[in-house]
Amino acid sequence: MPRREIQGDWVMGWPDRKRFRFVSGKDQEGRIIHARSPYFELEGLITPTDAYYIVAQLEVPDPVHPEDYTFEISGEVETPVTYSLDDLRLLPGHTVRAVTECAGDDTEFWDYLESRAKGGNMPKTSRQVSGEGEDINWRDMVARGEIDLDEARALVPSTCLVSGGEWTGIRLSEVLNRAGVKDSAVAIRVEGFDRGRPDPSLVYRAAGREDFEIVDPGVINYDKGLPIEKAMDPDTILAWAHNGEYLTHIHGAPVRMVVPGWAGNWWVKWIHKIEVMDHMPDCYHQTQYFVSGKSPDDPDKEMMTALGVKTVITEPRDEESPLPKGRYPVRGLAWSGEGRMERVEVSTDGGETWNDAHIEDHGDRYLWRRWSYPWDASEAGHYVLMARGTDENGRQQPVTEWNYQRKHFDGIVPVDIEIE
Ligand SMILES: Nc1nc2c(c(=O)[nH]1)N[C@H]1C(S)=C(S)[C@@H](COP(=O)(O)O)O[C@H]1N2
Ligand SMILES: [Mo]
């Protein structure tokens, strides 16, 4: 198998370190606004910050100097409070290690699996993201009329929008309790500094159709209405540090929300305001986008919250086929939106038989776990490798039902390997 830490004369650690960085997309001024993480190439559990994926729905705001920063907690509380970053850092801290995954990660595999089940030959989107190069800014290209939405879907995969991070800050419950949350509280509305008019092409691209109306809210701030129970969860935090450093601007500095287990869109960056509400607020990114339903006109659409259960084979990959006879490690990552991963099973015969993989142990409920399985590929043939996971609640993947925006994909994606 190709050794990914070695490249030409390159050996990890000498003459300099080979670093995998993200593949980024930039705005017109050359600022990075989007990035996919080369997590297939990485080891360990924590994705380095310069390899962490980046998504922003609206325009990236101008940075706020930490010394000028304050945010307010108001609404259904006894005492509204304004905090500076220094005030926050006086409170008891909390660090969580957790997977951040965009709701749209791996979205094209919904169609891939459907076509594969029907015997179709739709090509699988390569998951490989090298450490170099640039992502295509498809939103600009669509806006300029250079490509249409179908072309955008074919051109730009949505894989690699997931990373594992360490987040340091304080518990959200700590600041809420200090303000004194009233019994009437149902949700907190967390608003970011960033403003913009939501781009309907994101919703249309996700749905794969444009024959429906989306409410145009005009120019808004990014916001989410987090249910009070999840806001009070001891692992939901307001973070000012990421992977051992102060938060970088693109990841939401000075302070962002971290909502372990729930999709990335809940992790509001650039926090400006927290309002405790006695009803669920009508946030665009909760009622129009990131909603599940059978179709755009489904009357029972629901906001999407926790991620399902997911297992990804990071090696070997389709593009490494064919391989000579031998013994190979089948390795990967597994995570769940509702707690600890308990079990990963591997099949080398397309799901006929399953064997337990070894999963690495650690104490972080919401962080992915690494797993491995020694595969004895001593006979030539076509092999279909699969992995499936089960979490501590007995949820076995796939958990998430097909939804018209194709969010929260957690299906089992086969890897096809020819042994010669
Ligand atoms: N204020 C604000 N927060 C936001 C967003 C945004 O557009 N504005 N995007 C969300 C989405 S969709 C994702 S997937 C995550 C990505 O976090 P990251 O860029 O730090 O990886 O941020 C979330 N928080
Ligand atoms: Mo996202």
Side-chain angles (χ1 to χ4, degrees), residues 13-72:
W14 188 89
D16 194 354
R17 289 159 74 197
K18 178 179 173 189
R19 300 291 302 278
F20 290 102
R21 285 165 204 277
F22 49 49
V23 174
S24 60
K26 296 189 175 130
D27 68 8
Q28 258 123 12
E29 270 125 81
R31 298 175 299 198
I32 290 170
I33 49 166
H34 182 262
R36 288 183 289 140
S37 172
Y39 77 104
F40 276 55
E41 319 286 345
L42 300 173
E43 294 291 327
L45 299 170
I46 300 297
T47 310
T49 306
D50 61 1
Y52 220 85
Y53 88 93
I54 296 167
V55 167
Q57 301 293 331
L58 305 173
E59 277 153 43
V60 174
D62 286 333
V64 175
H65 195 280
E67 277 166 24
D68 302 330
Y69 177 70
T70 58
F71 76 93
E72 187 193 52

Short mmCIF file of all heavy atoms in Angstrom, two decimals, residues 13-72:
data_model
loop_
_atom_site.label_atom_id
_atom_site.label_comp_id
_atom_site.label_asym_id
_atom_site.label_seq_id
_atom_site.Cartn_x
_atom_site.Cartn_y
_atom_site.Cartn_z
N GLY A 13 9.13 13.95 9.22
CA GLY A 13 10.09 14.42 10.21
C GLY A 13 11.41 14.90 9.63
O GLY A 13 12.20 15.52 10.32
N TRP A 14 11.67 14.61 8.36
CA TRP A 14 12.94 15.04 7.78
C TRP A 14 12.79 15.18 6.28
O TRP A 14 12.14 14.33 5.69
CB TRP A 14 14.04 13.99 8.07
CG TRP A 14 15.39 14.47 7.65
CD1 TRP A 14 16.29 15.18 8.39
CD2 TRP A 14 15.99 14.28 6.37
NE1 TRP A 14 17.40 15.46 7.67
CE2 TRP A 14 17.26 14.92 6.41
CE3 TRP A 14 15.60 13.67 5.18
CZ2 TRP A 14 18.13 14.95 5.32
CZ3 TRP A 14 16.45 13.70 4.10
CH2 TRP A 14 17.71 14.32 4.18
N PRO A 15 13.31 16.16 5.55
CA PRO A 15 14.12 17.25 6.09
C PRO A 15 13.31 18.28 6.85
O PRO A 15 13.86 19.10 7.57
CB PRO A 15 14.74 17.87 4.84
CG PRO A 15 13.78 17.55 3.75
CD PRO A 15 13.15 16.25 4.10
N ASP A 16 12.00 18.25 6.65
CA ASP A 16 11.15 19.10 7.46
C ASP A 16 9.88 18.27 7.65
O ASP A 16 9.75 17.21 7.06
CB ASP A 16 10.85 20.41 6.72
CG ASP A 16 10.27 21.45 7.65
OD1 ASP A 16 9.99 21.11 8.82
OD2 ASP A 16 10.07 22.59 7.21
N ARG A 17 8.97 18.75 8.42
CA ARG A 17 7.80 17.92 8.61
C ARG A 17 6.85 18.04 7.44
O ARG A 17 6.59 19.12 6.95
CB ARG A 17 7.08 18.35 9.89
CG ARG A 17 7.87 17.95 11.11
CD ARG A 17 7.47 18.77 12.27
NE ARG A 17 6.17 18.36 12.78
CZ ARG A 17 5.44 19.12 13.58
NH1 ARG A 17 5.85 20.29 13.93
NH2 ARG A 17 4.28 18.68 14.01
N LYS A 18 6.35 16.91 6.99
CA LYS A 18 5.32 16.94 5.98
C LYS A 18 4.00 17.23 6.69
O LYS A 18 3.61 16.50 7.59
CB LYS A 18 5.26 15.60 5.27
CG LYS A 18 4.18 15.51 4.21
CD LYS A 18 4.23 14.15 3.56
CE LYS A 18 3.05 13.97 2.63
NZ LYS A 18 2.97 12.59 2.15
N ARG A 19 3.37 18.32 6.31
CA ARG A 19 2.14 18.71 7.00
C ARG A 19 0.97 18.66 6.05
O ARG A 19 1.05 19.16 4.94
CB ARG A 19 2.27 20.16 7.52
CG ARG A 19 3.40 20.40 8.49
CD ARG A 19 3.18 19.73 9.82
NE ARG A 19 1.95 20.15 10.49
CZ ARG A 19 1.84 21.25 11.21
NH1 ARG A 19 2.86 22.06 11.36
NH2 ARG A 19 0.70 21.56 11.79
N PHE A 20 -0.10 18.05 6.49
CA PHE A 20 -1.31 18.09 5.69
C PHE A 20 -2.11 19.30 6.14
O PHE A 20 -2.41 19.45 7.31
CB PHE A 20 -2.14 16.82 5.89
CG PHE A 20 -1.48 15.63 5.27
CD1 PHE A 20 -0.80 14.71 6.04
CD2 PHE A 20 -1.53 15.45 3.90
CE1 PHE A 20 -0.19 13.61 5.46
CE2 PHE A 20 -0.92 14.36 3.30
CZ PHE A 20 -0.25 13.43 4.09
N ARG A 21 -2.42 20.15 5.19
CA ARG A 21 -3.25 21.31 5.49
C ARG A 21 -4.55 21.18 4.74
O ARG A 21 -4.69 20.37 3.85
CB ARG A 21 -2.53 22.58 5.03
CG ARG A 21 -1.40 22.94 5.95
CD ARG A 21 -0.47 23.95 5.31
NE ARG A 21 0.83 23.84 5.93
CZ ARG A 21 1.16 24.42 7.08
NH1 ARG A 21 0.29 25.15 7.72
NH2 ARG A 21 2.35 24.26 7.59
N PHE A 22 -5.47 22.02 5.11
CA PHE A 22 -6.76 21.92 4.44
C PHE A 22 -6.71 22.42 3.00
O PHE A 22 -5.83 23.17 2.61
CB PHE A 22 -7.86 22.63 5.22
CG PHE A 22 -7.56 24.04 5.67
CD1 PHE A 22 -7.06 24.99 4.80
CD2 PHE A 22 -7.83 24.39 6.98
CE1 PHE A 22 -6.83 26.29 5.23
CE2 PHE A 22 -7.59 25.69 7.41
CZ PHE A 22 -7.09 26.63 6.54
N VAL A 23 -7.69 21.98 2.22
CA VAL A 23 -7.90 22.51 0.89
C VAL A 23 -8.93 23.62 1.06
O VAL A 23 -10.03 23.37 1.54
CB VAL A 23 -8.46 21.42 -0.05
CG1 VAL A 23 -8.81 22.01 -1.40
CG2 VAL A 23 -7.44 20.30 -0.19
N SER A 24 -8.55 24.85 0.70
CA SER A 24 -9.40 25.96 1.08
C SER A 24 -10.06 26.63 -0.10
O SER A 24 -9.60 26.53 -1.23
CB SER A 24 -8.57 26.98 1.86
OG SER A 24 -7.52 27.44 1.05
N GLY A 25 -11.15 27.32 0.19
CA GLY A 25 -11.82 28.19 -0.78
C GLY A 25 -11.72 29.61 -0.26
O GLY A 25 -11.77 29.82 0.96
N LYS A 26 -11.56 30.57 -1.17
CA LYS A 26 -11.34 31.96 -0.73
C LYS A 26 -12.40 32.90 -1.28
O LYS A 26 -13.02 32.59 -2.30
CB LYS A 26 -9.96 32.41 -1.20
CG LYS A 26 -8.86 31.59 -0.56
CD LYS A 26 -7.47 32.13 -0.83
CE LYS A 26 -6.45 31.31 -0.05
NZ LYS A 26 -5.35 30.86 -0.83
N ASP A 27 -12.57 34.02 -0.60
CA ASP A 27 -13.49 35.03 -1.12
C ASP A 27 -12.73 35.93 -2.09
O ASP A 27 -11.53 35.72 -2.35
CB ASP A 27 -14.16 35.82 0.02
CG ASP A 27 -13.19 36.71 0.80
OD1 ASP A 27 -12.02 36.85 0.39
OD2 ASP A 27 -13.62 37.26 1.83
N GLN A 28 -13.45 36.96 -2.62
CA GLN A 28 -12.80 37.79 -3.63
C GLN A 28 -11.56 38.51 -3.13
O GLN A 28 -10.67 38.84 -3.90
CB GLN A 28 -13.80 38.80 -4.20
CG GLN A 28 -14.32 38.37 -5.56
CD GLN A 28 -15.84 38.25 -5.59
OE1 GLN A 28 -16.51 38.71 -4.67
NE2 GLN A 28 -16.35 37.64 -6.63
N GLU A 29 -11.52 38.75 -1.83
CA GLU A 29 -10.33 39.41 -1.28
C GLU A 29 -9.23 38.43 -0.89
O GLU A 29 -8.24 38.82 -0.29
CB GLU A 29 -10.71 40.26 -0.08
CG GLU A 29 -11.07 41.68 -0.45
CD GLU A 29 -12.45 42.06 0.06
OE1 GLU A 29 -12.55 42.42 1.24
OE2 GLU A 29 -13.40 41.99 -0.72
N GLY A 30 -9.43 37.17 -1.22
CA GLY A 30 -8.38 36.20 -0.95
C GLY A 30 -8.38 35.65 0.47
O GLY A 30 -7.43 35.00 0.90
N ARG A 31 -9.46 35.93 1.21
CA ARG A 31 -9.52 35.40 2.59
C ARG A 31 -10.17 34.02 2.57
O ARG A 31 -11.16 33.81 1.87
CB ARG A 31 -10.34 36.35 3.48
CG ARG A 31 -9.70 37.73 3.58
CD ARG A 31 -10.58 38.68 4.35
NE ARG A 31 -11.87 38.86 3.69
CZ ARG A 31 -12.69 39.87 3.92
NH1 ARG A 31 -12.38 40.79 4.81
NH2 ARG A 31 -13.84 39.97 3.29
N ILE A 32 -9.62 33.13 3.38
CA ILE A 32 -10.17 31.77 3.42
C ILE A 32 -11.54 31.79 4.10
O ILE A 32 -11.70 32.32 5.19
CB ILE A 32 -9.20 30.85 4.19
CG1 ILE A 32 -7.93 30.65 3.36
CG2 ILE A 32 -9.86 29.51 4.53
CD1 ILE A 32 -6.81 29.97 4.10
N ILE A 33 -12.53 31.23 3.41
CA ILE A 33 -13.88 31.18 3.99
C ILE A 33 -14.42 29.75 4.04
O ILE A 33 -15.50 29.51 4.54
CB ILE A 33 -14.86 32.07 3.20
CG1 ILE A 33 -14.75 31.79 1.70
CG2 ILE A 33 -14.61 33.53 3.50
CD1 ILE A 33 -15.90 32.37 0.91
N HIS A 34 -13.69 28.80 3.45
CA HIS A 34 -14.18 27.44 3.38
C HIS A 34 -12.98 26.51 3.34
O HIS A 34 -11.96 26.85 2.75
CB HIS A 34 -15.01 27.27 2.10
CG HIS A 34 -15.60 25.91 1.95
ND1 HIS A 34 -15.02 24.93 1.19
CD2 HIS A 34 -16.72 25.36 2.48
CE1 HIS A 34 -15.78 23.83 1.26
NE2 HIS A 34 -16.81 24.07 2.04
N ALA A 35 -13.08 25.37 3.98
CA ALA A 35 -11.98 24.41 3.88
C ALA A 35 -12.47 23.01 4.16
O ALA A 35 -13.37 22.81 4.99
CB ALA A 35 -10.87 24.77 4.86
N ARG A 36 -11.89 22.06 3.46
CA ARG A 36 -12.16 20.64 3.73
C ARG A 36 -10.93 20.05 4.42
O ARG A 36 -9.80 20.41 4.09
CB ARG A 36 -12.47 19.91 2.44
CG ARG A 36 -13.85 20.29 1.92
CD ARG A 36 -14.24 19.54 0.67
NE ARG A 36 -13.49 19.97 -0.46
CZ ARG A 36 -13.02 19.14 -1.40
NH1 ARG A 36 -13.20 17.84 -1.30
NH2 ARG A 36 -12.34 19.60 -2.42
N SER A 37 -11.18 19.17 5.37
CA SER A 37 -10.10 18.63 6.18
C SER A 37 -9.54 17.35 5.56
O SER A 37 -10.31 16.46 5.20
CB SER A 37 -10.65 18.31 7.57
OG SER A 37 -9.69 17.61 8.31
N PRO A 38 -8.23 17.23 5.42
CA PRO A 38 -7.65 15.99 4.88
C PRO A 38 -7.60 14.90 5.95
O PRO A 38 -6.56 14.31 6.20
CB PRO A 38 -6.25 16.43 4.46
CG PRO A 38 -5.90 17.50 5.45
CD PRO A 38 -7.19 18.20 5.79
N TYR A 39 -8.73 14.61 6.59
CA TYR A 39 -8.68 13.75 7.78
C TYR A 39 -8.33 12.31 7.45
O TYR A 39 -7.94 11.55 8.34
CB TYR A 39 -9.97 13.87 8.60
CG TYR A 39 -11.18 13.13 8.09
CD1 TYR A 39 -11.61 11.94 8.67
CD2 TYR A 39 -11.93 13.64 7.04
CE1 TYR A 39 -12.74 11.28 8.22
CE2 TYR A 39 -13.05 12.98 6.57
CZ TYR A 39 -13.46 11.80 7.16
OH TYR A 39 -14.57 11.14 6.71
N PHE A 40 -8.45 11.95 6.17
CA PHE A 40 -8.04 10.60 5.78
C PHE A 40 -6.54 10.41 5.90
O PHE A 40 -6.05 9.29 5.99
CB PHE A 40 -8.45 10.34 4.33
CG PHE A 40 -9.86 9.88 4.23
CD1 PHE A 40 -10.88 10.63 4.78
CD2 PHE A 40 -10.16 8.70 3.61
CE1 PHE A 40 -12.18 10.21 4.72
CE2 PHE A 40 -11.46 8.26 3.54
CZ PHE A 40 -12.48 9.01 4.09
N GLU A 41 -5.82 11.51 5.82
CA GLU A 41 -4.36 11.45 5.81
C GLU A 41 -3.79 11.59 7.21
O GLU A 41 -2.57 11.55 7.38
CB GLU A 41 -3.77 12.60 4.97
CG GLU A 41 -4.51 12.90 3.68
CD GLU A 41 -4.27 11.86 2.61
OE1 GLU A 41 -3.32 11.07 2.77
OE2 GLU A 41 -5.04 11.84 1.64
N LEU A 42 -4.63 11.86 8.18
CA LEU A 42 -4.12 12.21 9.50
C LEU A 42 -4.17 11.01 10.44
O LEU A 42 -4.89 10.04 10.19
CB LEU A 42 -4.95 13.36 10.08
CG LEU A 42 -4.93 14.65 9.26
CD1 LEU A 42 -5.93 15.66 9.83
CD2 LEU A 42 -3.55 15.26 9.22
N GLU A 43 -3.43 11.11 11.50
CA GLU A 43 -3.45 10.09 12.56
C GLU A 43 -3.94 10.76 13.84
O GLU A 43 -4.09 11.97 13.89
CB GLU A 43 -2.05 9.50 12.76
CG GLU A 43 -1.55 8.71 11.55
CD GLU A 43 -2.30 7.40 11.31
OE1 GLU A 43 -2.74 6.77 12.29
OE2 GLU A 43 -2.46 7.02 10.13
N GLY A 44 -4.15 9.97 14.86
CA GLY A 44 -4.55 10.55 16.14
C GLY A 44 -6.01 10.97 16.14
O GLY A 44 -6.80 10.57 15.27
N LEU A 45 -6.37 11.76 17.12
CA LEU A 45 -7.78 12.09 17.35
C LEU A 45 -8.09 13.57 17.14
O LEU A 45 -9.22 13.94 16.87
CB LEU A 45 -8.18 11.69 18.77
CG LEU A 45 -8.03 10.19 19.07
CD1 LEU A 45 -8.22 9.93 20.56
CD2 LEU A 45 -9.02 9.38 18.26
N ILE A 46 -7.07 14.41 17.34
CA ILE A 46 -7.30 15.85 17.25
C ILE A 46 -6.79 16.35 15.90
O ILE A 46 -5.62 16.15 15.55
CB ILE A 46 -6.57 16.59 18.40
CG1 ILE A 46 -7.07 16.10 19.78
CG2 ILE A 46 -6.71 18.11 18.26
CD1 ILE A 46 -8.53 16.37 20.09
N THR A 47 -7.66 16.96 15.13
CA THR A 47 -7.28 17.51 13.83
C THR A 47 -6.55 18.84 14.06
O THR A 47 -7.11 19.74 14.70
CB THR A 47 -8.56 17.78 12.99
OG1 THR A 47 -9.37 16.60 13.01
CG2 THR A 47 -8.21 18.18 11.57
N PRO A 48 -5.32 18.96 13.56
CA PRO A 48 -4.62 20.24 13.76
C PRO A 48 -5.46 21.40 13.21
O PRO A 48 -6.22 21.23 12.26
CB PRO A 48 -3.34 20.08 12.94
CG PRO A 48 -3.15 18.60 12.79
CD PRO A 48 -4.53 18.00 12.79
N THR A 49 -5.33 22.55 13.83
CA THR A 49 -6.18 23.68 13.47
C THR A 49 -6.04 24.06 11.99
O THR A 49 -7.02 24.39 11.34
CB THR A 49 -5.87 24.89 14.38
OG1 THR A 49 -5.99 24.42 15.73
CG2 THR A 49 -6.84 26.04 14.17
N ASP A 50 -4.83 23.97 11.45
CA ASP A 50 -4.67 24.33 10.04
C ASP A 50 -5.11 23.21 9.10
O ASP A 50 -4.91 23.28 7.89
CB ASP A 50 -3.25 24.83 9.72
CG ASP A 50 -2.19 23.80 9.98
OD1 ASP A 50 -2.53 22.67 10.39
OD2 ASP A 50 -1.00 24.10 9.78
N ALA A 51 -5.70 22.16 9.66
CA ALA A 51 -6.31 21.12 8.83
C ALA A 51 -7.78 20.93 9.20
O ALA A 51 -8.41 19.98 8.75
CB ALA A 51 -5.53 19.80 8.99
N TYR A 52 -8.31 21.81 10.03
CA TYR A 52 -9.70 21.71 10.50
C TYR A 52 -10.63 22.26 9.43
O TYR A 52 -10.34 23.29 8.82
CB TYR A 52 -9.89 22.55 11.77
CG TYR A 52 -10.76 21.91 12.82
CD1 TYR A 52 -10.22 21.02 13.73
CD2 TYR A 52 -12.12 22.20 12.91
CE1 TYR A 52 -11.02 20.42 14.71
CE2 TYR A 52 -12.92 21.62 13.88
CZ TYR A 52 -12.36 20.73 14.79
OH TYR A 52 -13.14 20.15 15.76
N TYR A 53 -11.76 21.60 9.18
CA TYR A 53 -12.65 22.11 8.14
C TYR A 53 -13.26 23.45 8.56
O TYR A 53 -13.29 23.77 9.75
CB TYR A 53 -13.74 21.07 7.80
CG TYR A 53 -14.99 21.14 8.64
CD1 TYR A 53 -16.09 21.89 8.22
CD2 TYR A 53 -15.08 20.47 9.85
CE1 TYR A 53 -17.25 21.96 8.98
CE2 TYR A 53 -16.24 20.53 10.61
CZ TYR A 53 -17.32 21.29 10.17
OH TYR A 53 -18.46 21.35 10.92
N ILE A 54 -13.70 24.20 7.56
CA ILE A 54 -14.29 25.53 7.80
C ILE A 54 -15.56 25.69 6.97
O ILE A 54 -15.54 25.41 5.76
CB ILE A 54 -13.31 26.66 7.40
CG1 ILE A 54 -12.05 26.63 8.27
CG2 ILE A 54 -13.98 28.04 7.48
CD1 ILE A 54 -10.91 27.50 7.74
N VAL A 55 -16.62 26.12 7.60
CA VAL A 55 -17.85 26.44 6.87
C VAL A 55 -18.42 27.73 7.45
O VAL A 55 -18.41 27.94 8.66
CB VAL A 55 -18.90 25.31 7.01
CG1 VAL A 55 -20.28 25.77 6.53
CG2 VAL A 55 -18.49 24.07 6.23
N ALA A 56 -18.90 28.59 6.57
CA ALA A 56 -19.66 29.77 7.01
C ALA A 56 -20.83 29.95 6.06
O ALA A 56 -20.66 29.85 4.85
CB ALA A 56 -18.77 31.01 7.02
N GLN A 57 -21.99 30.17 6.62
CA GLN A 57 -23.20 30.28 5.80
C GLN A 57 -23.38 31.67 5.23
O GLN A 57 -23.91 31.83 4.13
CB GLN A 57 -24.44 29.93 6.65
CG GLN A 57 -24.39 28.54 7.25
CD GLN A 57 -24.48 27.46 6.19
OE1 GLN A 57 -25.07 27.65 5.13
NE2 GLN A 57 -23.86 26.33 6.45
N LEU A 58 -23.02 32.68 5.99
CA LEU A 58 -23.22 34.07 5.56
C LEU A 58 -21.84 34.66 5.27
O LEU A 58 -20.89 33.93 5.02
CB LEU A 58 -23.98 34.85 6.64
CG LEU A 58 -25.32 34.23 7.06
CD1 LEU A 58 -25.92 34.95 8.24
CD2 LEU A 58 -26.31 34.22 5.89
N GLU A 59 -21.74 35.99 5.33
CA GLU A 59 -20.41 36.57 5.10
C GLU A 59 -19.58 36.49 6.38
O GLU A 59 -20.11 36.74 7.46
CB GLU A 59 -20.55 38.02 4.66
CG GLU A 59 -20.83 38.10 3.18
CD GLU A 59 -21.60 39.36 2.81
OE1 GLU A 59 -21.24 40.43 3.33
OE2 GLU A 59 -22.55 39.24 2.01
N VAL A 60 -18.31 36.18 6.21
CA VAL A 60 -17.43 36.13 7.38
C VAL A 60 -17.29 37.57 7.90
O VAL A 60 -16.99 38.48 7.13
CB VAL A 60 -16.06 35.54 7.00
CG1 VAL A 60 -15.09 35.63 8.16
CG2 VAL A 60 -16.22 34.08 6.55
N PRO A 61 -17.56 37.80 9.20
CA PRO A 61 -17.52 39.18 9.71
C PRO A 61 -16.09 39.68 9.89
O PRO A 61 -15.15 38.89 9.86
CB PRO A 61 -18.20 39.05 11.08
CG PRO A 61 -17.87 37.66 11.51
CD PRO A 61 -17.83 36.82 10.26
N ASP A 62 -15.96 40.99 10.09
CA ASP A 62 -14.64 41.52 10.44
C ASP A 62 -14.30 41.06 11.85
O ASP A 62 -15.19 40.91 12.68
CB ASP A 62 -14.66 43.05 10.40
CG ASP A 62 -14.70 43.55 8.96
OD1 ASP A 62 -14.20 42.81 8.07
OD2 ASP A 62 -15.22 44.65 8.73
N PRO A 63 -13.01 40.86 12.11
CA PRO A 63 -12.64 40.42 13.47
C PRO A 63 -12.97 41.49 14.52
O PRO A 63 -12.95 42.67 14.23
CB PRO A 63 -11.12 40.23 13.38
CG PRO A 63 -10.78 40.24 11.94
CD PRO A 63 -11.86 40.97 11.22
N VAL A 64 -13.28 41.00 15.72
CA VAL A 64 -13.50 41.90 16.86
C VAL A 64 -12.31 41.72 17.79
O VAL A 64 -11.94 40.59 18.11
CB VAL A 64 -14.80 41.52 17.61
CG1 VAL A 64 -14.97 42.37 18.86
CG2 VAL A 64 -16.00 41.66 16.69
N HIS A 65 -11.71 42.82 18.19
CA HIS A 65 -10.55 42.72 19.07
C HIS A 65 -11.00 42.18 20.42
O HIS A 65 -12.00 42.65 20.97
CB HIS A 65 -9.89 44.09 19.24
CG HIS A 65 -8.52 43.99 19.82
ND1 HIS A 65 -8.30 43.81 21.17
CD2 HIS A 65 -7.32 43.98 19.23
CE1 HIS A 65 -7.00 43.72 21.38
NE2 HIS A 65 -6.38 43.81 20.22
N PRO A 66 -10.26 41.21 20.98
CA PRO A 66 -10.69 40.61 22.26
C PRO A 66 -10.92 41.65 23.36
O PRO A 66 -11.80 41.47 24.20
CB PRO A 66 -9.53 39.69 22.64
CG PRO A 66 -8.80 39.43 21.37
CD PRO A 66 -9.06 40.59 20.45
N GLU A 67 -10.18 42.75 23.32
CA GLU A 67 -10.36 43.76 24.37
C GLU A 67 -11.64 44.57 24.18
O GLU A 67 -12.14 45.19 25.11
CB GLU A 67 -9.16 44.70 24.42
CG GLU A 67 -8.05 44.07 25.24
CD GLU A 67 -6.71 44.77 25.07
OE1 GLU A 67 -6.70 45.96 24.69
OE2 GLU A 67 -5.69 44.09 25.28
N ASP A 68 -12.14 44.60 22.97
CA ASP A 68 -13.37 45.35 22.70
C ASP A 68 -14.60 44.45 22.76
O ASP A 68 -15.71 44.89 22.50
CB ASP A 68 -13.33 45.98 21.30
CG ASP A 68 -12.15 46.90 21.13
OD1 ASP A 68 -11.74 47.49 22.15
OD2 ASP A 68 -11.63 47.01 20.01
N TYR A 69 -14.37 43.18 23.09
CA TYR A 69 -15.45 42.21 22.95
C TYR A 69 -16.32 42.12 24.19
O TYR A 69 -15.83 41.99 25.30
CB TYR A 69 -14.84 40.83 22.68
CG TYR A 69 -15.86 39.72 22.59
CD1 TYR A 69 -16.74 39.65 21.52
CD2 TYR A 69 -15.96 38.76 23.59
CE1 TYR A 69 -17.69 38.64 21.45
CE2 TYR A 69 -16.91 37.75 23.52
CZ TYR A 69 -17.77 37.70 22.45
OH TYR A 69 -18.71 36.71 22.38
N THR A 70 -17.63 42.19 23.97
CA THR A 70 -18.60 41.84 25.02
C THR A 70 -19.77 41.13 24.36
O THR A 70 -20.00 41.28 23.16
CB THR A 70 -19.19 43.07 25.76
OG1 THR A 70 -19.82 43.91 24.81
CG2 THR A 70 -18.15 43.82 26.56
N PHE A 71 -20.47 40.31 25.13
CA PHE A 71 -21.75 39.78 24.67
C PHE A 71 -22.71 39.80 25.83
O PHE A 71 -22.30 39.87 27.00
CB PHE A 71 -21.61 38.38 24.06
CG PHE A 71 -21.43 37.28 25.07
CD1 PHE A 71 -22.54 36.59 25.56
CD2 PHE A 71 -20.18 36.96 25.54
CE1 PHE A 71 -22.38 35.58 26.51
CE2 PHE A 71 -20.01 35.96 26.49
CZ PHE A 71 -21.10 35.27 26.98
N GLU A 72 -24.00 39.75 25.49
CA GLU A 72 -25.02 39.96 26.49
C GLU A 72 -25.90 38.72 26.61
O GLU A 72 -26.19 38.07 25.62
CB GLU A 72 -25.85 41.14 25.99
CG GLU A 72 -26.87 41.65 26.93
CD GLU A 72 -27.81 42.60 26.19
OE1 GLU A 72 -28.35 42.21 25.14
OE2 GLU A 72 -28.00 43.72 26.69
#
